[in-house]
Every structure is written in structure tokens, then in C-alpha cells.
Amino acid sequence: MDKKGFALILIVFLSSLFLITGVYLVKTGIIEFKLAKSLERYQYATRLASDCITEIMRQFSQNPYEDHYSSENIERETSIREFGFTEVEIIPNRNIHTLFIEATGKYGEDPSFPETKRRLEIVIKFISDLTTYGTYLNGNFTTSASNVTYYGKMWINGNWKITGWNVKCVGGPVFVKGNITGNLTIDGDLYYGGSKGSGIVVLGNAYNYFPLGDFPTLDTEYYKIHYNYKFTHSDALPTEDPWWETLKYVRIDFNSDGTFTVNGSSTYSIPEEGCIIYGENTNIRVSGTVKGRVTVMVSKTSYGRGVIKVRGNLNYANGTHYASSDCSFAALAKGGIRFRGLSKSGMQVHGVYFYDTTSGYMYASNKYWKGTFSLYGTRNRGIYISRFRGSTIEFDPYLDMYPPPGLPERPNLTSWKFK
């Protein structure tokens, strides 16, 4: 073969090679372009679904007293974005305070025939600060007693100083906005915004920042509007404990059949969905056995009113120390909370006890110098105890699941799954 023939064959070969390579590169480029566009559509649809959930969480974080389960707050129309759509379905469960949400992000011009879609399923659980912290105090706190164990999560909205010995926290985490000093063992994690003393032993992790927001307060206006039953000072009777105090109270005795009796005469039923009893310009005394979900709230006045007194035991009809689907209780007071024991064996109370103040104590006193004062639930102030031989404060973890009605709530994301 002469040189011209060889050159021609080489040219043909190289041309074929370049053509094949070019075709391959073009096809590869097209495939990569399609993959990139597909990934872009996939990511956009994912972002549509995620942004929708972020907006819902933002909305439900605005007002802790909002009815998060009403059709007005959960119904959503299809939202339109530049390159797609978002559809949302929300299924509420008012009984356990949850929302199941399915958000579908759709990329394309027609929501009925999207090019790409992503479905995100989540569960939001609404939890009240009043039920989730075994100890939650709005200000500085000192533990001077020894051999003390705090159960449940803790929130100290200030400095915590421990001067006693053998003090423990079980079932954390523990949140301290300021400094924490003294000798303490935390069986869990610690979040603190200030400094940590050398005697603070943390069996979990210690984080030098404070992630919580504002300390909860009671919105009196909410209870003025949303009560089931309202009582005023004109309904109050003189105290049954004149040797202890002079205040007048509206007397409420809870019955194990799901009713309560006022001043020993009129009896009212507790609605199945829960009951808010509101005291305006008065004090309220409670006792008995609670069946149903009940919140008693009293506002404060300049006349020494706004006090809730628990006189004798306050138990649950379910026979346990824990809240359940048909037994939970909260006492919310602007003017004070008092406990009055009547038995030599002591006194038992259950539920949430919230005294809306930045200083002061709750008070517990027995008729006899005997017995133990026992609280199963939560409380947000220290309790000054007299005439009892001992005291027990135990956290009720079931209050988060079965809270009393009308408490301020925060949304918590408990489940997140893309499909």
C-alpha cells in the first residue's frame, strides 16, 4: 500500500474515532444534563415540602394559646410557587395534642401532572412547659437541703446555687440560664448559659449555651374567654380553717363520677373534651377525686384574691399517681397556691401547680404535726412546708401525653420522613 492509501485509511479511522467520541460526549452531556435537571426538580420539590413544614412550625410557635387543632388553623389551600406547587393535608388529634401532616412538593406547571414530586410526612406534638418540667423556676434558685433528688427535666431561669450535699437530678436534661455552682450530680445533659462550678458532675453532655426562649406566663385574657364555668367573689364562703387564714373561697369538691360540687350544693358535669374553671376576683378551694381533664385558673386582684388552696387530698379517679386520658388536673394562680393537710397520715396532691410570679413560695401546712406531704406532677415554685414530718415531690411524665386543657403549648417535631 502506498503512502497516499495509508494516509487515507488513517484519516478515515481518525474521523470515525472523533465521530464516535463526539457522539459519546454529546450523549454523555445530554444524560448529565438530564440528570442535573432531574436532580434540580427533585431538590426543588423537596424544598417545597420542607419550606411548607417550616412555615407551619413558625405559625404554631407564634401563639402558645392558639387552638392548633381547629379547622381554621389547619386547612390549607394549594400554594403556588415559581416552578411548582405545595399541597398539605393535616390530621389533628386533639386528645393527644398532635398533628399528622403530609406535605407534597410538586415541580411543574400542572399540579395534577407534576414532573417530580416529594412527599414529607411529619408528626407535631404540642407540649406545655407547665407539664414537661418537673422543676421550672423563673429566677435564681438555691438548694440548701441535702439528700435531695429532682426528677424530670429542669428549667432554672436564672442562677442555681447548691449548698446542700448529695443533690441529684434524674431524668434530665437540666437547663440553667445563668451560673450553676455547688455540688450536684446530673444523670443526663446540662445546658447552661453562664459558668459551671467544679462540683457539678454531668453524666451526660454539658453544653455552654441556653437554648430555651421566654419563661411561660399565664394569659388571663385567654381564660376569661375560654372558660366552661366561671365563679366570682360573690360565690365565695368564709374559710373552713380560721386558725390558719381569713380568706374566703369558692369551694369546689371533685367527685369520682366526673362531676364537681360547688359550695356543697350545685353539681356540674366535666365535659368530655375537658373543663376550664375560671375564678375572677376571687379565691378557689379544691379537693376530692378528679375524673376528667380539669384546669382551675384564678386571676389576681388588689384585694388579696387570686389564690388556689388545695384542702385535703386531690387524687385521680384512675387510682394512680399519673395522668391518663380521662384524668389530669392543673391549678394556675396569679395570687398564690396553698396546700392544707387534714390528716395525720399526710397529704397527697396530683397535677400541675403553677404560681405565676417571679418570687415567693407555695405553702403547705398540715393540721397535725405528722404525715408526709406528697406532690405527683409539676410545680414552678419552691414549697414552704410546715407541720409535716417529710415531703415527696415526684414528676409525672404522663402529663405531657394527657395535659389538662387550656395550657400554653409549644410545637415539637417528633417524626420526619420523606417518601
Side-chain angles (χ1 to χ4, degrees):
M1 179 181 297
D2 58 16
K3 292 182 178 180
K4 291 184 177 179
F6 178 77
L8 180 60
I9 293 174
L10 181 60
I11 291 172
V12 172
F13 172 76
L14 292 176
S15 298
S16 300
L17 179 61
F18 290 150
L19 178 62
I20 294 171
T21 302
V23 171
Y24 172 77
L25 291 175
V26 170
K27 287 185 176 180
T28 301
I30 292 173
I31 292 173
E32 290 180 351
F33 177 77
K34 289 182 177 180
L35 288 175
K37 292 299 292 183
S38 177
L39 179 60
E40 179 183 329
R41 291 192 295 267
Y42 181 87
Q43 291 175 337
Y44 194 89
T46 300
R47 191 163 59 251
L48 285 173
S50 299
D51 288 350
C52 174
I53 299 302
T54 300
E55 174 59 25
I56 290 174
M57 290 291 289
R58 184 204 62 78
Q59 173 197 334
F60 288 139
S61 298
Q62 299 301 304
N63 183 358
Y65 283 96
E66 186 177 41
D67 184 355
H68 312 296
Y69 320 100
S70 67
S71 58
E72 177 183 356
N73 284 318
I74 66 175
E75 289 181 354
R76 295 286 194 285
E77 295 182 356
T78 300
S79 62
I80 302 174
R81 300 290 183 89
E82 184 179 2
F83 298 108
F85 307 84
T86 304
E87 295 179 350
V88 184
E89 181 182 5
I90 304 178
I91 302 175
N93 188 325
R94 190 181 293 272
N95 188 49
I96 59 174
H97 291 229
T98 61
L99 297 177
F100 172 80
I101 303 177
E102 183 180 273
T104 304
K106 297 182 176 183
Y107 181 94
E109 297 181 357
D110 187 347
S112 300
F113 301 97
E115 297 177 41
T116 304
K117 66 179 180 180
R118 285 280 278 161
R119 187 169 75 246
L120 175 58
E121 294 181 354
I122 72 162
V123 175
I124 293 176
K125 167 69 174 173
F126 290 93
I127 298 177
S128 175
D129 293 329
L130 279 63
T131 64
T132 200
Y133 293 97
T135 300
Y136 52 121
L137 304 175
N138 191 15
N140 297 329
F141 181 55
T142 298
T143 299
S144 57
S146 298
N147 302 311
V148 176
T149 299
Y150 294 97
Y151 295 94
K153 293 186 288 185
M154 298 187 66
W155 180 352
I156 309 299
N157 206 42
N159 300 320
W160 187 13
K161 182 179 180 181
I162 300 99
T163 59
W165 294 91
N166 191 31
V167 180
K168 301 177 182 178
C169 295
V170 178
V174 173
F175 301 89
V176 180
K177 188 173 185 178
N179 305 324
I180 178 169
T181 58
N183 293 280
L184 171 71
T185 299
I186 299 175
D187 187 5
D189 295 337
L190 168 66
Y191 298 82
Y192 62 103
S195 61
K196 177 173 71 70
S198 59
I200 307 301
V201 178
V202 182
L203 302 183
N205 298 310
Y207 304 96
N208 195 191
Y209 73 96
F210 186 74
L212 300 181
D214 295 332
F215 195 84
T217 58
L218 300 180
D219 183 359
T220 304
E221 295 302 315
Y222 172 84
Y223 300 99
K224 283 183 179 180
I225 297 172
H226 295 90
Y227 65 82
N228 298 92
Y229 302 100
K230 174 182 174 181
F231 302 99
T232 67
H233 191 60
S234 62
D235 301 305
L237 300 177
T239 181
E240 300 148 305
D241 305 307
W243 62 89
W244 188 45
E245 64 181 354
T246 59
L247 298 180
K248 296 177 68 176
Y249 290 91
V250 179
R251 301 173 187 174
I252 294 178
D253 296 298
F254 292 102
N255 308 309
S256 59
D257 61 356
T259 64
F260 63 92
T261 302
V262 178
N263 293 337
S265 56
S266 301
T267 297
Y268 303 87
S269 295
I270 296 173
E272 184 177 352
E273 63 274 13
C275 178
I276 295 177
I277 300 172
Y278 175 60
E280 184 175 74
N281 191 30
T282 190
N283 306 306
I284 290 182
R285 187 222 73 180
V286 296
S287 64
T289 301
V290 176
K291 183 176 182 181
R293 297 193 191 186
V294 180
T295 293
V296 177
M297 192 276 169
V298 292
S299 58
K300 185 178 181 179
T301 72
S302 59
Y303 302 102
R305 297 164 191 166
V307 174
I308 294 178
K309 178 174 74 172
V310 183
R311 188 174 190 269
N313 294 336
L314 187 77
N315 295 317
Y316 288 144
N318 61 24
T320 75
H321 294 314
Y322 304 109
S324 61
S325 60
D326 61 350
C327 291
S328 63
F329 176 78
L332 315 178
K334 286 281 192 176
I337 291 181
R338 305 178 183 183
F339 304 95
R340 181 60 173 167
L342 303 174
S343 171
K344 294 180 180 180
S345 61
M347 181 179 184
Q348 288 187 355
V349 298
H350 298 77
V352 175
Y353 296 90
F354 189 90
Y355 176 20
D356 196 5
T357 180
T358 56
S359 62
Y361 292 88
M362 299 179 187
Y363 292 89
S365 178
N366 199 12
K367 183 178 181 180
Y368 305 93
W369 289 89
K370 292 184 177 182
T372 299
F373 174 78
S374 300
L375 188 154
Y376 303 92
T378 69
R379 52 80 173 102
N380 77 312
R381 301 303 307 168
I383 303 176
Y384 183 85
I385 296 176
S386 65
R387 300 175 68 94
F388 286 99
R389 293 301 185 188
S391 63
T392 299
I393 309 293
E394 292 198 17
F395 175 64
D396 179 0
Y398 290 92
L399 282 168
D400 275 351
M401 184 175 295
Y402 307 111
L407 303 186
E409 300 177 321
R410 300 175 189 257
N412 293 264
L413 196 59
T414 61
S415 176
W416 174 287
K417 185 178 182 181
F418 269 109
K419 289 189 174 182

